[in-house]
Amino acid sequence: GPAEDGASEPSARRSQTNLLDRLLYKGVLPRYAFPTDVVSFYVFDRDRSTPFRAEFQYEPSQGLPVALSQYAPGKVVWIDNKEWTSGALYAPVQKERFDAWRGRLLYFECRVCHYAIHLSYSEASRGEERDCPACGAEQQFGRAMNWLRPPGFAHPVSKDPGTSPDDAPARSYATRAKLMAPGPTEESAWERVTDRLEETYRRETLLVTNTGPRGEGYSYCTRCGLIEPTKGGSGDVTGVHPKPYPDEKEPACPGSASTRGLVLGTDFISDVLLVRLKVDPPATLQPQYLTTHIALRSVAEAMTIASAHLLDIEATELQAEYRPALTPLGPMGLESEIYLYDTLAGGAGFTRRIRDYGLDIFKHTLDRLENCPAGCDASCYQCLRSFRNRFEHGLLDRHVGASLLRYLLHGTLPAMDPARLSRSADQLNEDLTSLGLPGVTFT
């Protein structure tokens, strides 16, 4: 049935699991004591394995949200100074892998604003495209792809270690956690911070997904578990291929039951602080503008860092993401949301403490954006950059973030610094001049 705490029920597959799993998933019991959302990367022991019982040389494990990036199909995993390649989905109890495929869902992500949800097969069909519920972009939500929660990963038993592909492994990383539920509609649930900022604290379901290299998913043999990126893969999955696990009796898999464009993911309930930002024309937060992504990503990162400082915790304990508000004003670019969440599944209570700081968090965030110790032009490792946001360094600009936050706190319309504009013009002029186009001059 619907959850008491307001978190939407991801799917019926949970209700069949045992009571302990259920209590942990709902956050009734603390995850610190029982990390359940953990999967292993299996390396088979060829000498000790039998057709009836696989033995393992190594089986390191990770929390699933991290494993979706680190053990992603095609990735190289270093163990004991050898490189092993993730090339199969695997569970020691084969039924778990079949159940994962049977319980698959459909994943929708907006190509404009990147809002995402997963739905059951009764609510949607594969390949479907819809209008985005967040930004309103027409037919940009989808195409719906098969979404599966992997029970574990493995290095195919027939491959020797160190035989990683000659070219670099395909780059694929899991998304930040996506908040699926809209914010509360009743005004009483929101706490007003300023005229343009309000916040609410909830326990919500978050969704983490790896859509594979170039967002094209993975090709997967549903029979034996062999998996590779759909983009740039070898194509072995579709034909006859060696089984990835030990089986002397029948080492080959006929390969006639494969699927393309499969995405891998997980969902978990956590503590979420949802912050709603309201702007009026001429200011706009339309998701099709690059400036919107730069401003919101910069404020979100600064808020994470400022919060971690105030709470005296590691920055990795918190993450932030943003989206258009799921309200009538969201698609008009007049309302956006930034949400902070505890990275520990089940929540660690940090975001609740951030809410109690009220306006102070936003003042600290603005200070972080305005005052870089190195006085950098956009962002650097002293202010906003870190290893964990390395894929977004191009979207971090503290000046753009600060101009948005000043507007939200004090109502001052965002304006560009004249000195910065003139530097940009000089840079553009130099770049154009250096092209040396015959018969063209730039002034």
Side-chain angles (χ1 to χ4, degrees), residues 15-56:
S15 47
Q16 277 86 41
T17 54
N18 64 48
L19 179 63
L20 181 63
D21 284 348
R22 186 85 192 137
L23 293 172
L24 287 163
Y25 179 77
K26 300 304 286 182
V28 178
L29 293 174
R31 289 289 180 114
Y32 282 122
F34 316 88
T36 57
D37 216 11
V38 167
V39 295
S40 296
F41 177 77
Y42 297 96
V43 176
F44 301 104
D45 187 320
R46 290 181 194 173
D47 301 330
R48 288 168 41 234
S49 292
T50 70
F52 309 104
R53 182 178 172 81
E55 297 286 345
F56 309 110

mmCIF file of all heavy atoms in Angstrom, residues 15-56:
data_model
loop_
_atom_site.group_PDB
_atom_site.id
_atom_site.type_symbol
_atom_site.label_atom_id
_atom_site.label_comp_id
_atom_site.label_asym_id
_atom_site.label_seq_id
_atom_site.Cartn_x
_atom_site.Cartn_y
_atom_site.Cartn_z
ATOM 1 N N SER A 15 7.536 -5.748 -1.625
ATOM 2 C CA SER A 15 6.663 -6.290 -0.594
ATOM 3 C C SER A 15 6.842 -7.788 -0.420
ATOM 4 O O SER A 15 6.420 -8.359 0.556
ATOM 5 C CB SER A 15 5.209 -5.948 -0.896
ATOM 6 O OG SER A 15 4.942 -6.229 -2.245
ATOM 7 N N GLN A 16 7.483 -8.443 -1.411
ATOM 8 C CA GLN A 16 7.708 -9.882 -1.267
ATOM 9 C C GLN A 16 8.954 -10.198 -0.437
ATOM 10 O O GLN A 16 9.174 -11.332 -0.075
ATOM 11 C CB GLN A 16 7.864 -10.540 -2.649
ATOM 12 C CG GLN A 16 6.531 -10.860 -3.312
ATOM 13 C CD GLN A 16 5.983 -9.681 -4.078
ATOM 14 O OE1 GLN A 16 6.732 -8.994 -4.749
ATOM 15 N NE2 GLN A 16 4.692 -9.433 -3.966
ATOM 16 N N THR A 17 9.811 -9.204 -0.182
ATOM 17 C CA THR A 17 11.071 -9.505 0.508
ATOM 18 C C THR A 17 10.820 -9.679 2.008
ATOM 19 O O THR A 17 9.733 -9.404 2.505
ATOM 20 C CB THR A 17 12.102 -8.389 0.290
ATOM 21 O OG1 THR A 17 11.491 -7.155 0.687
ATOM 22 C CG2 THR A 17 12.536 -8.307 -1.152
ATOM 23 N N ASN A 18 11.869 -10.108 2.717
ATOM 24 C CA ASN A 18 11.658 -10.396 4.134
ATOM 25 C C ASN A 18 11.532 -9.121 4.977
ATOM 26 O O ASN A 18 11.827 -8.016 4.529
ATOM 27 C CB ASN A 18 12.766 -11.314 4.659
ATOM 28 C CG ASN A 18 14.120 -10.628 4.605
ATOM 29 O OD1 ASN A 18 14.248 -9.491 5.041
ATOM 30 N ND2 ASN A 18 15.117 -11.311 4.069
ATOM 31 N N LEU A 19 11.099 -9.308 6.216
ATOM 32 C CA LEU A 19 10.784 -8.178 7.097
ATOM 33 C C LEU A 19 11.997 -7.287 7.344
ATOM 34 O O LEU A 19 11.887 -6.062 7.322
ATOM 35 C CB LEU A 19 10.237 -8.720 8.427
ATOM 36 C CG LEU A 19 9.876 -7.655 9.478
ATOM 37 C CD1 LEU A 19 8.746 -6.772 8.976
ATOM 38 C CD2 LEU A 19 9.488 -8.307 10.791
ATOM 39 N N LEU A 20 13.176 -7.899 7.546
ATOM 40 C CA LEU A 20 14.366 -7.100 7.829
ATOM 41 C C LEU A 20 14.693 -6.155 6.661
ATOM 42 O O LEU A 20 14.923 -4.965 6.855
ATOM 43 C CB LEU A 20 15.556 -8.021 8.122
ATOM 44 C CG LEU A 20 16.874 -7.303 8.454
ATOM 45 C CD1 LEU A 20 16.740 -6.486 9.724
ATOM 46 C CD2 LEU A 20 18.006 -8.297 8.614
ATOM 47 N N ASP A 21 14.675 -6.714 5.425
ATOM 48 C CA ASP A 21 14.927 -5.872 4.245
ATOM 49 C C ASP A 21 13.927 -4.731 4.173
ATOM 50 O O ASP A 21 14.255 -3.598 3.843
ATOM 51 C CB ASP A 21 14.802 -6.700 2.947
ATOM 52 C CG ASP A 21 16.019 -7.577 2.735
ATOM 53 O OD1 ASP A 21 16.998 -7.363 3.459
ATOM 54 O OD2 ASP A 21 15.969 -8.470 1.873
ATOM 55 N N ARG A 22 12.685 -5.069 4.472
ATOM 56 C CA ARG A 22 11.600 -4.088 4.388
ATOM 57 C C ARG A 22 11.844 -2.930 5.370
ATOM 58 O O ARG A 22 11.734 -1.756 5.020
ATOM 59 C CB ARG A 22 10.299 -4.822 4.722
ATOM 60 C CG ARG A 22 9.065 -4.017 4.540
ATOM 61 C CD ARG A 22 8.619 -4.079 3.107
ATOM 62 N NE ARG A 22 7.605 -3.067 2.893
ATOM 63 C CZ ARG A 22 7.571 -2.302 1.833
ATOM 64 N NH1 ARG A 22 8.468 -2.428 0.900
ATOM 65 N NH2 ARG A 22 6.626 -1.413 1.680
ATOM 66 N N LEU A 23 12.178 -3.275 6.598
ATOM 67 C CA LEU A 23 12.393 -2.249 7.633
ATOM 68 C C LEU A 23 13.602 -1.377 7.295
ATOM 69 O O LEU A 23 13.609 -0.176 7.545
ATOM 70 C CB LEU A 23 12.578 -2.902 9.007
ATOM 71 C CG LEU A 23 11.332 -3.617 9.565
ATOM 72 C CD1 LEU A 23 11.686 -4.383 10.836
ATOM 73 C CD2 LEU A 23 10.217 -2.618 9.863
ATOM 74 N N LEU A 24 14.628 -1.996 6.718
ATOM 75 C CA LEU A 24 15.817 -1.234 6.338
ATOM 76 C C LEU A 24 15.506 -0.294 5.180
ATOM 77 O O LEU A 24 15.906 0.857 5.177
ATOM 78 C CB LEU A 24 16.951 -2.181 5.947
ATOM 79 C CG LEU A 24 17.587 -2.918 7.123
ATOM 80 C CD1 LEU A 24 18.382 -4.108 6.627
ATOM 81 C CD2 LEU A 24 18.472 -1.977 7.919
ATOM 82 N N TYR A 25 14.766 -0.811 4.174
ATOM 83 C CA TYR A 25 14.454 0.017 3.007
ATOM 84 C C TYR A 25 13.629 1.228 3.416
ATOM 85 O O TYR A 25 13.843 2.336 2.938
ATOM 86 C CB TYR A 25 13.696 -0.808 1.949
ATOM 87 C CG TYR A 25 13.348 0.023 0.739
ATOM 88 C CD1 TYR A 25 14.322 0.329 -0.206
ATOM 89 C CD2 TYR A 25 12.077 0.543 0.556
ATOM 90 C CE1 TYR A 25 14.050 1.138 -1.291
ATOM 91 C CE2 TYR A 25 11.779 1.338 -0.531
ATOM 92 C CZ TYR A 25 12.775 1.627 -1.454
ATOM 93 O OH TYR A 25 12.485 2.431 -2.530
ATOM 94 N N LYS A 26 12.675 1.015 4.345
ATOM 95 C CA LYS A 26 11.819 2.118 4.773
ATOM 96 C C LYS A 26 12.531 3.052 5.757
ATOM 97 O O LYS A 26 11.960 4.058 6.176
ATOM 98 C CB LYS A 26 10.537 1.590 5.429
ATOM 99 C CG LYS A 26 9.672 0.720 4.525
ATOM 100 C CD LYS A 26 9.280 1.390 3.234
ATOM 101 C CE LYS A 26 8.220 2.451 3.465
ATOM 102 N NZ LYS A 26 7.818 3.047 2.158
ATOM 103 N N GLY A 27 13.775 2.690 6.133
ATOM 104 C CA GLY A 27 14.516 3.568 7.040
ATOM 105 C C GLY A 27 14.063 3.459 8.477
ATOM 106 O O GLY A 27 14.342 4.324 9.293
ATOM 107 N N VAL A 28 13.332 2.384 8.820
ATOM 108 C CA VAL A 28 12.897 2.189 10.209
ATOM 109 C C VAL A 28 14.104 1.785 11.062
ATOM 110 O O VAL A 28 14.268 2.222 12.186
ATOM 111 C CB VAL A 28 11.791 1.112 10.282
ATOM 112 C CG1 VAL A 28 11.368 0.871 11.728
ATOM 113 C CG2 VAL A 28 10.587 1.525 9.437
ATOM 114 N N LEU A 29 14.961 0.928 10.491
ATOM 115 C CA LEU A 29 16.205 0.547 11.170
ATOM 116 C C LEU A 29 17.359 1.316 10.533
ATOM 117 O O LEU A 29 17.332 1.583 9.329
ATOM 118 C CB LEU A 29 16.457 -0.955 10.998
ATOM 119 C CG LEU A 29 15.468 -1.888 11.681
ATOM 120 C CD1 LEU A 29 15.765 -3.328 11.299
ATOM 121 C CD2 LEU A 29 15.538 -1.737 13.189
ATOM 122 N N PRO A 30 18.383 1.677 11.308
ATOM 123 C CA PRO A 30 19.480 2.478 10.738
ATOM 124 C C PRO A 30 20.365 1.680 9.792
ATOM 125 O O PRO A 30 20.703 0.530 10.072
ATOM 126 C CB PRO A 30 20.281 2.910 11.983
ATOM 127 C CG PRO A 30 19.991 1.859 12.996
ATOM 128 C CD PRO A 30 18.584 1.386 12.736
ATOM 129 N N ARG A 31 20.738 2.278 8.654
ATOM 130 C CA ARG A 31 21.587 1.594 7.682
ATOM 131 C C ARG A 31 23.023 1.456 8.178
ATOM 132 O O ARG A 31 23.769 0.647 7.662
ATOM 133 C CB ARG A 31 21.615 2.368 6.362
ATOM 134 C CG ARG A 31 20.323 2.308 5.590
ATOM 135 C CD ARG A 31 20.092 0.920 5.002
ATOM 136 N NE ARG A 31 18.839 0.906 4.262
ATOM 137 C CZ ARG A 31 18.753 0.742 2.959
ATOM 138 N NH1 ARG A 31 19.822 0.576 2.247
ATOM 139 N NH2 ARG A 31 17.587 0.730 2.361
ATOM 140 N N TYR A 32 23.422 2.297 9.142
ATOM 141 C CA TYR A 32 24.803 2.205 9.633
ATOM 142 C C TYR A 32 25.095 0.780 10.081
ATOM 143 O O TYR A 32 26.156 0.230 9.845
ATOM 144 C CB TYR A 32 25.008 3.125 10.843
ATOM 145 C CG TYR A 32 25.174 4.569 10.489
ATOM 146 C CD1 TYR A 32 24.320 5.539 10.999
ATOM 147 C CD2 TYR A 32 26.214 4.978 9.645
ATOM 148 C CE1 TYR A 32 24.476 6.873 10.678
ATOM 149 C CE2 TYR A 32 26.381 6.312 9.316
ATOM 150 C CZ TYR A 32 25.515 7.257 9.837
ATOM 151 O OH TYR A 32 25.679 8.578 9.511
ATOM 152 N N ALA A 33 24.118 0.170 10.765
ATOM 153 C CA ALA A 33 24.333 -1.151 11.350
ATOM 154 C C ALA A 33 24.250 -2.256 10.303
ATOM 155 O O ALA A 33 24.910 -3.259 10.397
ATOM 156 C CB ALA A 33 23.290 -1.387 12.432
ATOM 157 N N PHE A 34 23.394 -2.069 9.282
ATOM 158 C CA PHE A 34 23.210 -3.115 8.268
ATOM 159 C C PHE A 34 23.273 -2.511 6.878
ATOM 160 O O PHE A 34 22.256 -2.065 6.367
ATOM 161 C CB PHE A 34 21.821 -3.765 8.382
ATOM 162 C CG PHE A 34 21.358 -4.090 9.769
ATOM 163 C CD1 PHE A 34 20.668 -3.154 10.527
ATOM 164 C CD2 PHE A 34 21.563 -5.353 10.303
ATOM 165 C CE1 PHE A 34 20.211 -3.466 11.789
ATOM 166 C CE2 PHE A 34 21.099 -5.666 11.561
ATOM 167 C CZ PHE A 34 20.424 -4.719 12.315
ATOM 168 N N PRO A 35 24.443 -2.440 6.258
ATOM 169 C CA PRO A 35 24.455 -1.918 4.885
ATOM 170 C C PRO A 35 23.873 -2.976 3.940
ATOM 171 O O PRO A 35 24.516 -3.975 3.650
ATOM 172 C CB PRO A 35 25.935 -1.671 4.601
ATOM 173 C CG PRO A 35 26.659 -2.513 5.584
ATOM 174 C CD PRO A 35 25.754 -2.839 6.733
ATOM 175 N N THR A 36 22.618 -2.807 3.522
ATOM 176 C CA THR A 36 21.974 -3.837 2.702
ATOM 177 C C THR A 36 22.123 -3.561 1.220
ATOM 178 O O THR A 36 22.085 -4.469 0.416
ATOM 179 C CB THR A 36 20.466 -3.896 2.983
ATOM 180 O OG1 THR A 36 19.936 -2.599 2.744
ATOM 181 C CG2 THR A 36 20.186 -4.321 4.393
ATOM 182 N N ASP A 37 22.268 -2.302 0.855
ATOM 183 C CA ASP A 37 22.268 -1.954 -0.567
ATOM 184 C C ASP A 37 23.664 -2.162 -1.137
ATOM 185 O O ASP A 37 24.245 -1.273 -1.740
ATOM 186 C CB ASP A 37 21.841 -0.485 -0.713
ATOM 187 C CG ASP A 37 20.995 -0.285 -1.960
ATOM 188 O OD1 ASP A 37 20.591 -1.294 -2.542
ATOM 189 O OD2 ASP A 37 20.756 0.871 -2.343
ATOM 190 N N VAL A 38 24.223 -3.353 -0.894
ATOM 191 C CA VAL A 38 25.613 -3.620 -1.253
ATOM 192 C C VAL A 38 25.652 -4.713 -2.318
ATOM 193 O O VAL A 38 24.925 -5.695 -2.219
ATOM 194 C CB VAL A 38 26.405 -4.065 0.006
ATOM 195 C CG1 VAL A 38 27.750 -4.649 -0.362
ATOM 196 C CG2 VAL A 38 26.581 -2.881 0.940
ATOM 197 N N VAL A 39 26.483 -4.538 -3.352
ATOM 198 C CA VAL A 39 26.656 -5.598 -4.355
ATOM 199 C C VAL A 39 28.144 -5.913 -4.498
ATOM 200 O O VAL A 39 28.992 -5.069 -4.206
ATOM 201 C CB VAL A 39 26.080 -5.206 -5.745
ATOM 202 C CG1 VAL A 39 24.581 -5.026 -5.683
ATOM 203 C CG2 VAL A 39 26.760 -3.975 -6.298
ATOM 204 N N SER A 40 28.425 -7.119 -4.974
ATOM 205 C CA SER A 40 29.822 -7.562 -5.107
ATOM 206 C C SER A 40 30.249 -7.590 -6.561
ATOM 207 O O SER A 40 29.419 -7.658 -7.477
ATOM 208 C CB SER A 40 29.992 -8.954 -4.510
ATOM 209 O OG SER A 40 29.734 -8.917 -3.124
ATOM 210 N N PHE A 41 31.573 -7.545 -6.743
ATOM 211 C CA PHE A 41 32.185 -7.777 -8.052
ATOM 212 C C PHE A 41 32.912 -9.114 -7.915
ATOM 213 O O PHE A 41 33.854 -9.240 -7.139
ATOM 214 C CB PHE A 41 33.169 -6.646 -8.387
ATOM 215 C CG PHE A 41 33.896 -6.855 -9.691
ATOM 216 C CD1 PHE A 41 33.259 -6.618 -10.900
ATOM 217 C CD2 PHE A 41 35.220 -7.290 -9.715
ATOM 218 C CE1 PHE A 41 33.915 -6.813 -12.105
ATOM 219 C CE2 PHE A 41 35.890 -7.489 -10.914
ATOM 220 C CZ PHE A 41 35.231 -7.245 -12.120
ATOM 221 N N TYR A 42 32.444 -10.112 -8.655
ATOM 222 C CA TYR A 42 32.953 -11.475 -8.473
ATOM 223 C C TYR A 42 34.058 -11.796 -9.481
ATOM 224 O O TYR A 42 33.911 -11.545 -10.673
ATOM 225 C CB TYR A 42 31.824 -12.486 -8.643
ATOM 226 C CG TYR A 42 30.730 -12.348 -7.611
ATOM 227 C CD1 TYR A 42 29.578 -11.615 -7.884
ATOM 228 C CD2 TYR A 42 30.846 -12.943 -6.357
ATOM 229 C CE1 TYR A 42 28.572 -11.478 -6.933
ATOM 230 C CE2 TYR A 42 29.843 -12.814 -5.401
ATOM 231 C CZ TYR A 42 28.709 -12.071 -5.699
ATOM 232 O OH TYR A 42 27.718 -11.941 -4.743
ATOM 233 N N VAL A 43 35.152 -12.366 -8.971
ATOM 234 C CA VAL A 43 36.198 -12.925 -9.838
ATOM 235 C C VAL A 43 36.241 -14.415 -9.510
ATOM 236 O O VAL A 43 36.526 -14.806 -8.373
ATOM 237 C CB VAL A 43 37.567 -12.267 -9.580
ATOM 238 C CG1 VAL A 43 38.639 -12.948 -10.416
ATOM 239 C CG2 VAL A 43 37.513 -10.768 -9.876
ATOM 240 N N PHE A 44 35.909 -15.250 -10.492
ATOM 241 C CA PHE A 44 35.798 -16.696 -10.258
ATOM 242 C C PHE A 44 37.165 -17.349 -10.070
ATOM 243 O O PHE A 44 38.151 -16.925 -10.667
ATOM 244 C CB PHE A 44 35.079 -17.376 -11.432
ATOM 245 C CG PHE A 44 33.695 -16.845 -11.661
ATOM 246 C CD1 PHE A 44 33.429 -15.976 -12.709
ATOM 247 C CD2 PHE A 44 32.648 -17.201 -10.821
ATOM 248 C CE1 PHE A 44 32.145 -15.467 -12.920
ATOM 249 C CE2 PHE A 44 31.367 -16.709 -11.022
ATOM 250 C CZ PHE A 44 31.116 -15.836 -12.075
ATOM 251 N N ASP A 45 37.181 -18.376 -9.236
ATOM 252 C CA ASP A 45 38.379 -19.206 -9.087
ATOM 253 C C ASP A 45 38.193 -20.411 -10.021
ATOM 254 O O ASP A 45 37.401 -21.310 -9.743
ATOM 255 C CB ASP A 45 38.506 -19.661 -7.626
ATOM 256 C CG ASP A 45 39.822 -20.380 -7.384
ATOM 257 O OD1 ASP A 45 40.238 -21.165 -8.267
ATOM 258 O OD2 ASP A 45 40.431 -20.157 -6.323
ATOM 259 N N ARG A 46 38.927 -20.413 -11.145
ATOM 260 C CA ARG A 46 38.719 -21.457 -12.165
ATOM 261 C C ARG A 46 39.048 -22.854 -11.632
ATOM 262 O O ARG A 46 38.423 -23.831 -12.004
ATOM 263 C CB ARG A 46 39.609 -21.183 -13.387
ATOM 264 C CG ARG A 46 39.180 -19.970 -14.191
ATOM 265 C CD ARG A 46 40.110 -19.828 -15.376
ATOM 266 N NE ARG A 46 39.990 -18.528 -16.017
ATOM 267 C CZ ARG A 46 40.787 -18.120 -16.992
ATOM 268 N NH1 ARG A 46 41.758 -18.908 -17.419
ATOM 269 N NH2 ARG A 46 40.635 -16.938 -17.537
ATOM 270 N N ASP A 47 40.069 -22.928 -10.777
ATOM 271 C CA ASP A 47 40.523 -24.254 -10.322
ATOM 272 C C ASP A 47 39.554 -24.888 -9.330
ATOM 273 O O ASP A 47 39.334 -26.097 -9.358
ATOM 274 C CB ASP A 47 41.910 -24.143 -9.669
ATOM 275 C CG ASP A 47 42.932 -23.562 -10.648
ATOM 276 O OD1 ASP A 47 42.749 -23.803 -11.865
ATOM 277 O OD2 ASP A 47 43.873 -22.877 -10.205
ATOM 278 N N ARG A 48 38.978 -24.087 -8.451
ATOM 279 C CA ARG A 48 38.146 -24.667 -7.386
ATOM 280 C C ARG A 48 36.663 -24.716 -7.740
ATOM 281 O O ARG A 48 35.877 -25.339 -7.034
ATOM 282 C CB ARG A 48 38.348 -23.882 -6.087
ATOM 283 C CG ARG A 48 39.723 -24.141 -5.470
ATOM 284 C CD ARG A 48 40.087 -23.170 -4.353
ATOM 285 N NE ARG A 48 38.983 -22.867 -3.451
ATOM 286 C CZ ARG A 48 38.590 -21.626 -3.183
ATOM 287 N NH1 ARG A 48 39.171 -20.592 -3.763
ATOM 288 N NH2 ARG A 48 37.606 -21.413 -2.347
ATOM 289 N N SER A 49 36.256 -24.023 -8.827
ATOM 290 C CA SER A 49 34.830 -23.987 -9.172
ATOM 291 C C SER A 49 34.386 -25.297 -9.804
ATOM 292 O O SER A 49 35.154 -25.942 -10.517
ATOM 293 C CB SER A 49 34.551 -22.850 -10.156
ATOM 294 O OG SER A 49 34.738 -21.609 -9.517
ATOM 295 N N THR A 50 33.131 -25.675 -9.535
ATOM 296 C CA THR A 50 32.532 -26.842 -10.199
ATOM 297 C C THR A 50 31.280 -26.351 -10.926
ATOM 298 O O THR A 50 30.817 -25.239 -10.659
ATOM 299 C CB THR A 50 32.114 -27.910 -9.163
ATOM 300 O OG1 THR A 50 30.986 -27.390 -8.431
ATOM 301 C CG2 THR A 50 33.239 -28.241 -8.206
ATOM 302 N N PRO A 51 30.711 -27.176 -11.841
ATOM 303 C CA PRO A 51 29.486 -26.730 -12.528
ATOM 304 C C PRO A 51 28.353 -26.444 -11.545
ATOM 305 O O PRO A 51 27.411 -25.737 -11.873
ATOM 306 C CB PRO A 51 29.124 -27.917 -13.430
ATOM 307 C CG PRO A 51 30.382 -28.689 -13.590
ATOM 308 C CD PRO A 51 31.171 -28.484 -12.347
ATOM 309 N N PHE A 52 28.438 -27.037 -10.334
ATOM 310 C CA PHE A 52 27.341 -26.875 -9.374
ATOM 311 C C PHE A 52 27.622 -25.791 -8.343
ATOM 312 O O PHE A 52 26.722 -25.319 -7.682
ATOM 313 C CB PHE A 52 27.075 -28.213 -8.660
ATOM 314 C CG PHE A 52 26.901 -29.346 -9.629
ATOM 315 C CD1 PHE A 52 27.923 -30.265 -9.835
ATOM 316 C CD2 PHE A 52 25.736 -29.453 -10.380
ATOM 317 C CE1 PHE A 52 27.777 -31.305 -10.741
ATOM 318 C CE2 PHE A 52 25.586 -30.484 -11.296
ATOM 319 C CZ PHE A 52 26.597 -31.401 -11.492
ATOM 320 N N ARG A 53 28.890 -25.451 -8.220
ATOM 321 C CA ARG A 53 29.206 -24.449 -7.192
ATOM 322 C C ARG A 53 30.382 -23.594 -7.647
ATOM 323 O O ARG A 53 31.495 -24.092 -7.815
ATOM 324 C CB ARG A 53 29.534 -25.161 -5.868
ATOM 325 C CG ARG A 53 29.832 -24.200 -4.732
ATOM 326 C CD ARG A 53 30.113 -24.930 -3.434
ATOM 327 N NE ARG A 53 30.564 -23.998 -2.420
ATOM 328 C CZ ARG A 53 29.739 -23.237 -1.703
ATOM 329 N NH1 ARG A 53 28.439 -23.302 -1.883
ATOM 330 N NH2 ARG A 53 30.218 -22.389 -0.796
ATOM 331 N N ALA A 54 30.124 -22.304 -7.826
ATOM 332 C CA ALA A 54 31.208 -21.394 -8.208
ATOM 333 C C ALA A 54 31.985 -20.995 -6.958
ATOM 334 O O ALA A 54 31.400 -20.757 -5.904
ATOM 335 C CB ALA A 54 30.618 -20.157 -8.869
ATOM 336 N N GLU A 55 33.317 -20.978 -7.088
ATOM 337 C CA GLU A 55 34.166 -20.464 -5.998
ATOM 338 C C GLU A 55 34.814 -19.182 -6.511
ATOM 339 O O GLU A 55 35.036 -19.031 -7.712
ATOM 340 C CB GLU A 55 35.250 -21.484 -5.631
ATOM 341 C CG GLU A 55 34.704 -22.798 -5.093
ATOM 342 C CD GLU A 55 34.181 -22.686 -3.665
ATOM 343 O OE1 GLU A 55 34.494 -21.671 -2.997
ATOM 344 O OE2 GLU A 55 33.453 -23.594 -3.228
ATOM 345 N N PHE A 56 35.124 -18.276 -5.572
ATOM 346 C CA PHE A 56 35.621 -16.961 -5.985
ATOM 347 C C PHE A 56 37.032 -16.704 -5.487
ATOM 348 O O PHE A 56 37.380 -17.046 -4.358
ATOM 349 C CB PHE A 56 34.683 -15.857 -5.472
ATOM 350 C CG PHE A 56 33.246 -16.116 -5.812
ATOM 351 C CD1 PHE A 56 32.332 -16.442 -4.821
ATOM 352 C CD2 PHE A 56 32.814 -16.056 -7.127
ATOM 353 C CE1 PHE A 56 31.015 -16.713 -5.130
ATOM 354 C CE2 PHE A 56 31.494 -16.321 -7.453
ATOM 355 C CZ PHE A 56 30.587 -16.655 -6.457
#
